[in-house]
Each structure stands twice: as structure tokens, then as C-alpha cells.
Amino acid sequence: RKSATNEAVQGAAAAIQRYAEMFAHRAACTFTDVEQYLNMLIRTNEEATMNATVSLLEFAETLRQNSTVANCSSELGETIGSKEHRSRLCAYIFSIKLTHKLLSARKDLVDRFLPDWAEIVNEWKASLSLSPSNEEEKAQQLQPGDDLILLAVQQLLYSDSSSNSYSSAKFVSAVLLESAIEHSPDNAYLKFAAMDVYHQLDATSRSWDLFQKVGIKHIQLDSCSFTALPYLLKGGLYNEVIEVSTSLLRFQRGTARDCGDYSSRAMDAGTLSKANEFMTFQREKMNRSLTLQFCKGLILDSAPLLATAVPRMKHDDDPLLKGGLGIKQGIVGGKEDFARATEMVVACQNPHAALSIVSWVNCCGSFDNTEDFSDNRDLSIVSQYSSLQKPKIEEKRLMVQETFRRGHVHGLLIRATLCVDGMKGPKKGKIVKPSASLEKRTKSLLESVLSASEFFDTQMEIENSSEGASCQALLHTLLELCRFLAIVNAGMPSIGEDSMDQREKQATDLMRQQCIMQLKQAREKLSQFLSVKNVCSMLANYIAPLFAVFRMCTDVASAYGWGKRKQKKVSEALGDFAGELNGFIQEMMTCISSLPSSETETSVDYNLTGNELEILDSEVLAFTARLLTQAQHRTRMRIEPVLQEIDEFLDEFDTSKGS
């Protein structure tokens, strides 16, 4: 408590120390036992906690030094037995965890008390002697020193002051985790930590391999898939996003079916309480699952960007996947859009389908009450060894917000596609009165634009003022393109007499005063934040929907004689918009081109020091470097072809290149 006295705080610290002296050498759960009291201690006012914190840090330092095993033989000329070694190892791990926990609240003491990560790694190496001699038993058991690698990696990443995605600290962390996984292949925590490190190194394909090896299935899809989904989307692995998400949707459908069966059996057996438990669990936890709704939105964003296999040889077991735009699914402004949109309209009514969030957003309108969703994520997976550096876990409210945004965006895409299908171009230079069907579809589109605009302006939280505002500008650009489509295609909303000149003026003014200005604003700011991860996420979240609606706009404009490179005001405005968007696409392509152009070549030099090279296993180091290059190249293969396809289409509007 903030009102705690110095005496009370000192007494609590002394009690924690006495408990540790009794059990730190004997029980691996000692830190878990005292953690809640440490949380209370570090939350009290700074003046009262200062002396107690320093006292505990000094105790942890003494305990660590007295428990060191790695230098025991060389310095003291003595050897210790297995039992004594395990006792010291247990105390050593406790001392590091205690140090990390206390330093998380006192950054000013880091330089004084944070141990050298190399020392922790050497202790891990010494702990390998405790492994079973039998190889089969060794592979099935977790190594007693696994926690040391997790703690050393956390320290490395915490101390990494470089903003470079490919810093030596991240690379060393990857090598250490690969070494630990080699000795303890069944430790899921090592794999989860490695997934994060590889994602930071833009090698998300390796993160996906590790996620598969963890073996997440059944109910774990709801509680554990959050560890991979953000990485997969930001790593450009859209196929894998859909694979994980659809697995969860299938599981949810199965539980809904099984729940009724098991409840019926329980009632037949006379166990009414169990029947009620089944129904309550399904209603409160499964039907309202936060991850389920989030996955539905991810499926919609990823579907237009599915990649196809490109075998490098006959019967290739591990083919490269090459990205494409609208190859199998999704609305992308292409010829298949109407057939796909028709199927989507039907799927919107299926509560178990991903597209159900489109109709769900229309019904709900807002998400003021996030308590309607059940957060079934097991956050302890990533927070257990993250005292120094807090894990990046998406907040519940932001996940709901992203789901609503995706529902709005894909609802707009479906309605825009239906409007284009009902298009009727002019005859003999005169406007053809829109059919009742087209008017109804256009009215629905404009109503959705208003609803989405209200959501984007009033309910979306902007995490980062510059980057968030820029993404919001991209969303408003999408809305203005939908308005452009309504004006050209149906003359709605009508202003005065409907004519070709009136539509041309309205469309030109809207394109220049709103669409282009919003896009410029977004591009100027987003260019400062471009990274491989941002490119991958923006492509799915914003660029692909924006490009799809722009293609629809050009198709409709062409039907009215305002196509590419025409000497018309609308054509020139569309050309200027295409040039602005293409400039941003080329900046994204430049960012992606920093990744390796093949699986064997890389220009990245991690600049390891002599001390780091001495500590790391040379074979594992070379193996990790190869994995990184392969995984980074695969990310490039997913994203670059999509950007090139968009670039080629937009390049057709460049009048300087001739017909």
C-alpha cells in the first residue's frame, strides 16, 4: 500500500528474505510463492521501498554469487555432487528472478545489480551435466536449467538499446534459444520465447515452425493462439493466419454441437448440475470468445492475400509460397468480385462464419461494453518470464476495436461490389436513370459509409498519435472513394439536376479535395514508420481494401468515358491519386527489398564480439543464421509480388510513359 510505513516495508522485505533463505535451495516454486508480496512491495511509495529494495537486491546478489557452479571447479579446484548442484541451481535461478522483478520497478539500479548475461549462460552450460545420460529420456524431459536461457534472453533484449531490427542482441538471443531447444525439445516456453525473437528479426516463418511444434490444439486454440496470430499477420504469413483462425472456428462449431449432446447425456444420467455447467461454459466462454471474433476479422483481411505454392523441384516437400492478390478469395476489384460478394452476402447470415462480423457490426453499432466478450487467453504463457521487459499483449478493447473496423471495411467492400455490378453507363452522352436496385444498393453503401465514418471518428482509439492518425486517414480515404463510386455510378447523393457535367464536377472535386489530400496526409506520416512488420500489417489492414475500391472507381469512371490517360478532369484526378498511392507502394517495396533476395544470400552482418562468439556454439550459430536468411526471404516472397501487382496497375495511369 502507498500508506505503508518504512517499518512495515522493511518487515515485509525481511520476511521475504527469510522465506527465500529457507526454501530457495529446495523448491523451484519459491519465487512464485513470494511474487505477489513483491508486487505489493514495489507498488508502495518510492521513499519507503528504496531501502527495502536495495536490501533484497543485495541479498539476491550474495545468493547468486554463493550459488554459482560454472566457475567452482576452475577457481576452487573442487567438484560438487548432483544433489548439491541442483540445490545451487535452484537458488541461482531464484536470485536472478528476484533481481529482475525488483529492477523492473527501479531502473536506476540496473547498472549496479543486473548480472552479466554471459554468466547466466555459463551456468546453463554447467547445468547440462544434470541431464539424463539416456538420449531418449533426455529428449522427453525438460532440462533443469532451461529457465536460465529464458532469463538471459530477457536480459539481452532488455539491454538492447539499438532500434535496428537485426541487432546482435536479438541474433544472440535466437542462437541461445535454438541451443536450449536442441537440449530440451519439449519445452514450450523456449519455443514461445523464440517465436517472439524470430518475429523481431523479420523471420516469422521460423516462428510459425516453432508454433506448429508446440502442438496447439482443441481448447488451446482459444487460449494460446494469441501467441502467434499477431506475428503471422505482421510477418506476411496470411495463409497461416487463416489456417490457425479457421481451426479455431471449426473447434467452436464442434463445441456448440457437442455441448448439446453432453448436456443431454448428463440429464439422462440425472446429473443436472453437470448439464448446467456444460451449457453455461458454452454460453459464457465459447460463444462470447474474444479470440473467436478477432480471428473472424483476421480471416477477412488475409483472404485476398493468399499465397500459392511455387515448387523449386519435383515433389518439393517444402515449396516456397508466392504472394498474390485475390488468387482464391477476397474482394480486390477484379472480375471475380461479384461472384464472391454474392457468396459473402449469404455467409454473413451464418453465425459460425467469419463474415458474420459484418452483420454483427451492423446490428451492434458500437462496442462500449467490452465485457460482452470473454477473454480466454492464457496470458501467463508470455508473462511468466517477462519481469524486466513486459510482453506486448494486445489489450482486449483494442482487439474488439480491430474486429469492428474489419467488419465495417468488409461490409463496405461487399456493398461497393454490388453497386458496380448494377452499373449502367451513359447512352449517347446522356445519363441513364439508375435502376431501383442500383439506387437501393447505393443507398446502403452510403449509409454504411456514414456508420463507418462515425465509428472511425468517435470510437477508434489511436495508440500512437502520428501513426494512428495516419491509419485513420487511410480509412477515411477508403470512405471517400466509396462516395466517389456512388456519385459516378448513381449520381447519389444528388445535388441539383443529375447530368454528366454535374457528376464529373462532383467526382473531380471529391477526388482532389478529399481522397488525394487524405492519402497525402497518411503517406507523409506513415513513411516515417515503415518497417517490414508495418508493411505486412498495413497491406492487409488498409492497402488491399483501398486498392480494391480504387479499381472499382476506375472501372466505373471508364464506363463514363473517364478512363486511364483520358483528357478529362476525372481521369486526371484519378491519375494523380494513382501516382500518390503508387509512390507509397514503392516506398513499401523499398522496405521489403531489404530482406534477402534468396534463401542463401544475406547482406546482414550481426557484428558479434569475441566474447559472444566464444560463448555461443559455432554450429548452432551457423544453423540459426541459415534459418534467419531462409525465413526472411520467405516473407519477401509473400509480400513483394503483391506490391508489384499493385504497382503495375497504378503505373498504367502515368501519362508520361505514353500509351
Side-chain angles (χ1 to χ4, degrees):
R1 296 179 180 179
K2 292 185 178 181
S3 59
T5 63
N6 287 330
E7 292 77 11
V9 172
Q10 290 292 342
I16 292 172
Q17 181 173 332
R18 287 195 300 272
Y19 188 87
E21 289 171 346
M22 293 174 60
F23 296 106
H25 292 81
R26 291 187 282 172
C29 63
T30 305
F31 179 77
T32 305
D33 294 342
V34 301
E35 187 175 16
Q36 59 177 323
Y37 303 106
L38 290 171
N39 288 331
M40 295 170 60
L41 188 67
I42 62 180
R43 283 199 298 266
T44 58
N45 67 76
E46 186 174 340
E47 182 180 353
T49 309
M50 179 62 181
N51 293 333
T53 301
V54 172
S55 175
L56 283 174
L57 285 169
E58 289 174 345
F59 163 70
E61 185 176 44
T62 302
L63 180 63
R64 175 174 57 82
Q65 292 171 349
N66 293 338
S67 303
T68 301
V69 175
N71 299 325
C72 182
S73 299
S74 59
E75 293 182 2
L76 303 178
E78 63 177 88
T79 57
I80 58 176
S82 173
K83 185 175 181 180
E84 173 65 15
H85 191 167
R86 288 181 180 275
S87 176
R88 290 194 182 191
L89 177 63
C90 192
Y92 187 90
I93 292 173
F94 172 83
S95 69
I96 300 297
K97 289 183 177 180
L98 178 60
T99 300
H100 284 187
K101 186 68 177 182
L102 294 170
L103 291 179
S104 67
R106 293 305 305 267
K107 309 297 184 185
D108 56 315
L109 298 175
V110 167
D111 292 338
R112 178 179 170 186
F113 288 105
L114 193 65
D116 185 6
W117 67 269
E119 176 195 306
I120 301 176
V121 175
N122 286 329
E123 285 298 313
W124 169 74
K125 289 181 178 179
S127 72
L128 294 177
S129 62
L130 299 173
S131 303
S133 56
N134 185 292
E135 289 297 326
E136 185 175 345
E137 291 182 8
K138 183 177 179 181
Q140 294 176 350
Q141 293 184 12
L142 305 184
Q143 303 306 309
D146 285 348
D147 286 2
L148 293 175
I149 290 297
L150 292 168
L151 294 167
V153 166
Q154 184 185 163
Q155 232 177 262
L156 274 165
L157 298 177
Y158 173 79
S159 303
D160 183 20
S161 58
S162 172
S163 59
N164 182 9
S165 296
Y166 312 132
S167 66
S168 61
K170 295 184 180 71
F171 179 66
V172 170
S173 298
V175 176
L176 290 175
L177 288 164
E178 288 290 354
S179 298
I181 291 171
E182 181 181 350
H183 288 91
S184 189
D186 289 338
N187 192 324
Y189 292 107
L190 292 173
K191 295 186 178 74
F192 286 128
M195 285 163 54
D196 177 55
V197 171
Y198 277 111
H199 174 64
Q200 292 186 48
L201 289 163
D202 293 330
T204 311
S205 290
R206 179 56 179 164
S207 300
W208 169 245
D209 293 340
L210 292 167
F211 179 76
Q212 288 180 298
K213 291 179 180 179
V214 172
I216 301 297
K217 57 184 68 175
H218 304 309
I219 193 65
Q220 294 172 332
L221 288 166
D222 201 354
S223 61
C224 303
S225 59
F226 78 95
T227 58
L229 286 172
Y231 300 157
L232 298 176
L233 182 70
K234 293 180 180 179
L237 304 190
Y238 307 117
N239 291 49
E240 289 76 0
V241 169
I242 291 181
E243 182 176 336
V244 175
S245 299
T246 52
S247 295
L248 176 57
L249 264 63
R250 281 196 300 271
F251 171 72
Q252 290 279 358
R253 287 196 295 269
T255 60
R257 181 180 59 252
D258 295 340
C259 176
D261 294 340
Y262 291 135
S263 296
S264 176
R265 292 182 189 180
M267 294 180 72
D268 290 342
T271 316
L272 300 183
S273 61
K274 287 297 178 183
N276 183 59
E277 285 181 19
F278 284 127
M279 300 301 292
T280 301
F281 180 77
Q282 180 66 34
R283 183 174 61 251
E284 300 295 331
K285 292 293 184 180
M286 304 306 290
N287 293 349
R288 295 165 54 185
S289 169
L290 172 68
T291 305
L292 173 66
Q293 300 301 329
F294 189 69
C295 284
K296 289 179 179 180
L298 289 177
I299 289 174
L300 298 187
D301 268 2
S302 301
L305 301 169
L306 283 176
T308 54
V310 182
R312 291 161 292 180
M313 60 187 73
K314 192 174 182 180
H315 307 303
D316 191 351
D317 293 330
D318 187 26
L320 283 173
L321 290 178
K322 183 178 179 181
L325 192 62
I327 296 176
K328 297 179 179 179
Q329 300 176 20
I331 293 176
V332 294
K335 297 179 180 179
E336 304 293 330
D337 279 3
F338 179 68
R340 293 174 181 176
T342 304
E343 295 176 358
M344 289 178 175
V345 171
V346 177
C348 286
Q349 309 308 316
N350 180 357
H352 298 294
L355 279 154
S356 63
I357 65 169
V358 174
S359 55
W360 172 62
V361 164
N362 292 336
C363 296
C364 294
S366 66
F367 65 100
D368 294 331
N369 187 12
T370 57
E371 296 305 316
D372 290 342
F373 301 91
S374 175
D375 191 350
N376 303 328
R377 295 175 295 172
D378 183 3
L379 303 182
S380 65
I381 294 173
V382 292
S383 61
Q384 187 168 355
Y385 297 95
S386 303
S387 297
L388 266 181
Q389 193 174 38
K390 297 300 179 184
K392 295 180 180 179
I393 301 173
E394 197 154 8
E395 296 179 14
K396 179 179 180 179
R397 182 172 180 82
L398 293 178
M399 291 179 68
V400 178
Q401 172 184 293
E402 284 296 286
T403 303
F404 265 79
R405 177 188 61 76
R406 291 176 172 125
H408 278 294
V409 168
H410 289 277
L412 289 170
L413 289 175
I414 293 172
R415 290 176 173 88
T417 302
L418 296 177
C419 287
V420 173
D421 175 70
M423 172 182 62
K424 291 185 178 180
K427 290 185 178 180
K428 298 180 180 180
K430 293 184 179 181
I431 295 293
V432 175
K433 187 179 186 316
S435 63
S437 174
L438 179 57
E439 285 186 346
K440 184 177 179 180
R441 294 178 183 183
T442 306
K443 182 180 178 181
S444 176
L445 174 63
L446 292 174
E447 288 175 350
S448 295
V449 168
L450 288 174
S451 176
S453 180
E454 181 182 358
F455 172 77
F456 297 155
D457 288 335
T458 62
Q459 298 189 49
M460 278 189 66
E461 295 180 6
I462 301 177
E463 297 179 78
N464 179 294
S465 57
S466 297
E467 187 176 359
S470 301
C471 292
Q472 198 172 42
L474 285 178
L475 291 172
H476 279 289
T477 305
L478 175 68
L479 298 181
E480 298 304 332
L481 287 177
C482 290
R483 290 191 175 103
F484 177 94
L485 188 67
I487 290 171
V488 176
N489 196 32
M492 297 174 63
S494 60
I495 302 177
E497 184 181 352
D498 188 17
S499 65
M500 288 282 289
D501 291 340
Q502 180 66 24
R503 290 192 187 186
E504 183 177 17
K505 184 180 184 305
Q506 276 186 265
T508 303
D509 291 345
L510 180 64
M511 182 60 64
R512 293 203 176 278
Q513 296 173 14
Q514 296 295 329
C515 300
I516 296 176
M517 294 303 296
Q518 293 275 12
L519 183 59
K520 280 185 176 180
Q521 176 188 339
R523 178 187 172 186
E524 288 172 0
K525 294 180 180 178
L526 286 174
S527 297
Q528 306 170 23
F529 302 101
L530 281 185
S531 64
V532 172
K533 300 174 190 63
N534 286 344
V535 168
C536 295
S537 61
M538 281 195 297
L539 180 59
N541 292 335
Y542 307 106
I543 300 301
L546 186 68
F547 178 67
V549 178
F550 178 70
R551 286 177 74 173
M552 297 181 202
C553 290
T554 60
D555 289 342
V556 172
S558 296
Y560 281 78
W562 305 327
K564 305 171 186 175
R565 301 180 183 176
K566 298 284 186 178
Q567 299 299 316
K568 299 289 185 179
K569 293 180 180 179
V570 175
S571 301
E572 292 172 356
L574 286 170
D576 291 343
F577 182 91
E580 190 67 34
L581 180 57
N582 200 23
F584 187 47
I585 295 297
Q586 288 174 356
E587 290 173 358
M588 296 171 71
M589 290 174 65
T590 301
C591 180
I592 289 295
S593 65
S594 64
L595 297 175
S597 57
S598 73
E599 290 189 322
T600 56
E601 297 179 8
T602 180
S603 58
V604 178
D605 185 1
Y606 296 101
N607 297 318
L608 300 185
T609 64
N611 182 46
E612 291 170 339
L613 291 171
E614 183 179 350
I615 293 173
L616 301 176
D617 185 298
S618 58
E619 291 185 2
V620 178
L621 190 151
F623 171 73
T624 305
R626 289 196 299 272
L627 283 178
L628 281 174
T629 302
Q630 292 172 2
Q632 289 168 354
H633 173 65
R634 292 184 176 217
T635 294
R636 179 172 178 172
M637 286 292 292
R638 299 291 187 97
I639 305 301
E640 194 171 53
V642 179
L643 296 177
Q644 288 174 344
E645 185 176 344
I646 297 175
D647 174 69
E648 289 173 2
F649 178 84
L650 296 175
D651 206 39
E652 295 175 6
F653 289 84
D654 190 349
T655 56
S656 65
K657 297 187 178 181
S659 304

